[in-house]
Amino acid sequence: MPDDIESSPTASDGKQHDEYEDPFTPRTVAKEGQDIELDGDSEFDALVENQDSSSESYPLQEISRRANDDDDDDDNDYGYGHLSPLSQGTFKEEGKGFQKPVRFEKGRRKTDSTVESYMLYTPDEERRVIRKFDRRLVLFMALLYMLSFLDRSNIGNARIAGLERDLQLQASQYEWLLTAFYITYVSFEWMTLLYRVVPAHVYISICVLFWGLIASLQSVVTSFTGMVILRAFLGLSEAAFSPGVPFYLSFFYKRDELAFRTGLVVSAAPLASSFAGSLAWLITRLGMYGPIAPWRLLFLVEGFPSVIVAVFAWMLVPDSPAHARYLTSREKDVAELRLRDEKDVQDVKAERKGIKWREVLETLGDPFCYLTAVSRTFP
């Protein structure tokens, strides 16, 4: 207490003060004529002991307010100057007690959304949920994307292994085998809308099974016509899956988290390219000593694993955070609460069995969509 301030002065309001009131000392919260001094961890207990049975909201005074603009102090544990754990606002009674005080991490800006988030789950819980999705969901989707890329790109290696010679293909016919895939791939990308209609674990499993069977059946074709038809159906099946991966991941990640996870999934394509040539060389070398042509063995060995993985996709792909088997009940709640402000996710939940045809028509009228389709068809 400063030495030049005398005790027991008479203030201008006419009230007698026994001593100088230091702004850095704990204050009191008055309720129904009672003064309760809040000190340290007893803040919350004192509030609970003196709350009545009504459901009113009680304004809380800040405890131990110091220099509120001193936000850069390294000793600040809450990130707001020297505010106490009890932030300004109201405490609403729930049941027989109050909600717990909101504590903020250092450096985190206090907004309405962060206050609400801290009342629902902790940052550690959120990080734990994201880490599980990264390890289980994103990696599995990257595996599926890698398999799809192998099945669409192995025709080049099959050509080297004798496809063009055995089927007596001309150069223009081989080019049509490549083009047939992308014509159907671009034309049927609208099938991504089925993520809104069909449960994800069913839809993705069917897509993986479908392209796995088609890729395997390429090993038994005997003519150019049969190969063109299979390549066209392969493009259709992959169009139903690959373009919808970012949309599916939005069921589990916030908007600012989505780009990085989508990049991880798409990076499986160059990863597959890094070993696809070596794998094809090994398979064709083994096929030279077998009963079937090396290029047929190549289609079979690289295509059939997708059929097997489709079974695991049925069990491992969750429809939503609430259906993720690797999350605990609390983690499922956190996974859904953290996405409560994402409008797109809420729309999907509300309209799981419907499609907004007005938005579909708006997309069809957008010329940039056609430019994207043309650029992907004729790279």
Side-chain angles (χ1 to χ4, degrees):
M1 180 169 56
D3 296 335
D4 56 339
I5 298 180
E6 298 178 357
S7 61
S8 303
T10 302
S12 58
D13 57 0
K15 295 182 181 180
Q16 186 73 17
H17 296 271
D18 296 333
E19 60 180 1
Y20 170 74
E21 183 180 0
D22 190 343
F24 301 106
T25 58
R27 299 181 182 179
T28 60
V29 177
K31 182 176 183 299
E32 296 183 353
Q34 299 179 358
D35 288 343
I36 308 155
E37 185 171 35
L38 305 181
D39 184 270
D41 295 334
S42 63
E43 296 173 1
F44 181 73
D45 296 334
L47 289 171
V48 174
E49 291 175 0
N50 290 272
Q51 55 99 1
D52 55 9
S53 60
S54 64
S55 59
E56 299 177 351
S57 299
Y58 299 94
L60 300 180
Q61 298 180 6
E62 293 186 2
I63 313 301
S64 303
R65 169 183 285 276
R66 298 188 182 179
N68 190 28
D69 56 348
D70 186 14
D71 294 334
D72 297 327
D73 192 343
D74 293 334
D75 294 331
N76 176 14
D77 292 333
Y78 303 101
Y80 298 99
H82 292 277
L83 296 182
S84 73
L86 293 177
S87 60
Q88 280 186 318
T90 59
F91 258 169
K92 293 186 178 180
E93 186 178 6
E94 288 190 354
K96 298 182 179 180
F98 290 98
Q99 294 177 346
K100 283 191 174 182
V102 181
R103 297 180 181 268
F104 298 95
E105 281 188 333
K106 179 178 179 180
R108 187 179 178 98
R109 183 178 296 278
K110 183 175 73 171
T111 62
D112 293 340
S113 60
T114 55
V115 170
E116 185 179 359
S117 297
Y118 272 85
M119 289 182 176
L120 298 174
Y121 55 85
T122 66
D124 289 337
E125 289 179 317
E126 183 178 20
R127 284 192 292 267
R128 190 180 305 113
V129 169
I130 295 175
R131 189 161 51 247
K132 283 192 175 182
F133 282 145
D134 290 343
R135 294 176 178 176
R136 304 291 186 89
L137 180 63
V138 174
L139 290 181
F140 188 73
M141 298 303 293
L143 172 64
L144 298 181
Y145 195 86
M146 182 182 66
L147 291 174
S148 69
F149 188 82
L150 282 175
D151 291 340
R152 82 174 70 166
S153 61
N154 58 8
I155 190 170
N157 295 320
R159 181 188 186 185
I160 299 174
L163 167 69
E164 196 171 27
R165 181 187 64 253
D166 292 350
L167 297 184
Q168 299 179 352
L169 300 179
Q170 300 178 1
S172 60
Q173 290 178 320
Y174 175 77
E175 296 296 332
W176 270 107
L177 295 181
L178 302 179
T179 305
F181 172 88
Y182 286 102
I183 289 177
T184 54
Y185 187 91
V186 174
S187 300
F188 287 90
E189 282 188 340
W190 59 267
M191 293 182 65
T192 301
L193 296 173
L194 295 179
Y195 278 100
R196 286 182 174 267
V197 181
V198 184
H201 80 282
V202 177
Y203 181 70
I204 293 177
S205 300
I206 292 176
C207 292
V208 178
L209 178 64
F210 194 35
W211 87 56
L213 289 174
I214 293 173
S216 301
L217 289 175
Q218 291 179 115
S219 63
V220 299
V221 297
T222 57
S223 65
F224 165 73
T225 303
M227 183 63 76
V228 168
I229 294 174
L230 289 178
R231 293 291 297 178
F233 277 104
L234 182 63
L236 186 153
S237 60
E238 293 196 14
F241 167 75
S242 300
V245 170
F247 179 65
Y248 172 67
L249 292 179
S250 68
F251 299 171
F252 306 90
Y253 292 99
K254 295 180 180 178
R255 195 181 304 271
D256 58 342
E257 302 167 346
L258 190 59
F260 176 68
R261 275 73 189 184
T262 302
L264 291 177
V265 174
V266 176
S267 64
L271 177 63
S273 300
S274 65
F275 65 85
S278 301
L279 179 62
W281 177 85
L282 178 61
I283 295 173
T284 54
R285 290 289 294 181
L286 295 176
M288 294 175 62
Y289 307 99
I292 62 176
W295 64 271
R296 297 183 186 274
L297 181 63
L298 176 64
F299 281 134
L300 184 62
V301 172
E302 291 189 353
F304 193 75
S306 296
V307 178
I308 300 175
V309 174
V311 179
F312 292 94
W314 182 280
M315 298 181 293
L316 299 179
V317 173
D319 298 338
S320 66
H323 294 85
R325 299 183 178 184
Y326 41 81
L327 296 182
T328 64
S329 58
R330 171 58 182 167
E331 290 171 343
K332 291 178 181 179
D333 293 338
V334 173
E336 291 191 329
L337 288 171
R338 63 188 294 269
L339 298 176
R340 66 191 182 280
D341 295 329
E342 301 293 322
K343 182 177 182 299
D344 293 343
V345 176
Q346 301 302 328
D347 290 344
V348 171
K349 290 181 179 180
E351 302 180 17
R352 170 66 71 177
K353 297 183 179 180
I355 296 175
K356 293 183 178 180
W357 293 106
R358 181 178 59 83
E359 295 183 358
V360 173
L361 295 177
E362 291 177 357
T363 303
L364 293 176
D366 188 353
F368 291 100
C369 296
Y370 296 96
L371 293 176
T372 303
V374 172
S375 64
R376 297 189 66 175
T377 306
F378 305 100

